[in-house]
Amino acid sequence: MKDQKDKKVPLPMKVRQSTFDELDQIAKEKGIPRSDIAAYRIEHYPIPLTPELMFELQNKANAKYEELKDDMPEEAIKIQKKVMELWKLLS
């Protein structure tokens, strides 16, 4: 997922049946191997930062910024700065 040229090695492990089922369902929906989903989760632990989550966070911040921009410019600027700090931490 991250670097396709990076060598892959087997990592036998046991997980709960519910986790297995969840990984299997996601893999089927996306049309990719279950091991790719599991590897993505391992690589991004403890913050499961997905494109969907990033999209949702940015949209909420943008909506709040637009809501406050005209009536409370200082507060809007503070929100925008906090969002930028968050992106720096998460990247």
Side-chain angles (χ1 to χ4, degrees):
M1 301 205 80
K2 213 176 202 186
D3 183 5
Q4 296 299 328
K5 295 178 183 177
D6 197 7
K7 181 182 174 185
K8 293 183 178 183
V9 296
L11 176 66
M13 60 189 290
K14 293 185 178 188
V15 297
R16 291 184 181 101
Q17 183 67 46
S18 60
T19 302
F20 180 88
D21 294 342
E22 181 183 349
L23 293 173
D24 199 42
Q25 179 184 354
I26 293 169
K28 285 178 183 174
E29 288 172 3
K30 294 188 176 195
I32 59 178
R34 183 177 49 243
S35 60
D36 285 356
I37 300 295
Y40 182 85
R41 286 192 178 185
I42 290 169
E43 290 171 6
H44 293 89
Y45 181 84
I47 301 172
L49 187 60
T50 63
E52 294 87 1
L53 176 60
M54 293 172 63
F55 178 81
E56 185 178 336
L57 288 171
Q58 189 64 55
N59 274 349
K60 287 183 179 184
N62 290 347
K64 193 61 163 172
Y65 177 79
E66 286 299 319
E67 182 183 311
L68 297 174
K69 186 169 61 172
D70 296 329
D71 297 329
M72 302 173 65
E74 295 93 25
E75 189 65 26
I77 291 169
K78 285 181 191 176
I79 288 173
Q80 199 65 8
K81 285 181 181 179
K82 286 181 183 179
V83 169
M84 297 315 288
E85 289 172 12
L86 178 62
W87 284 125
K88 286 179 185 177
L89 287 173
L90 295 175
S91 57

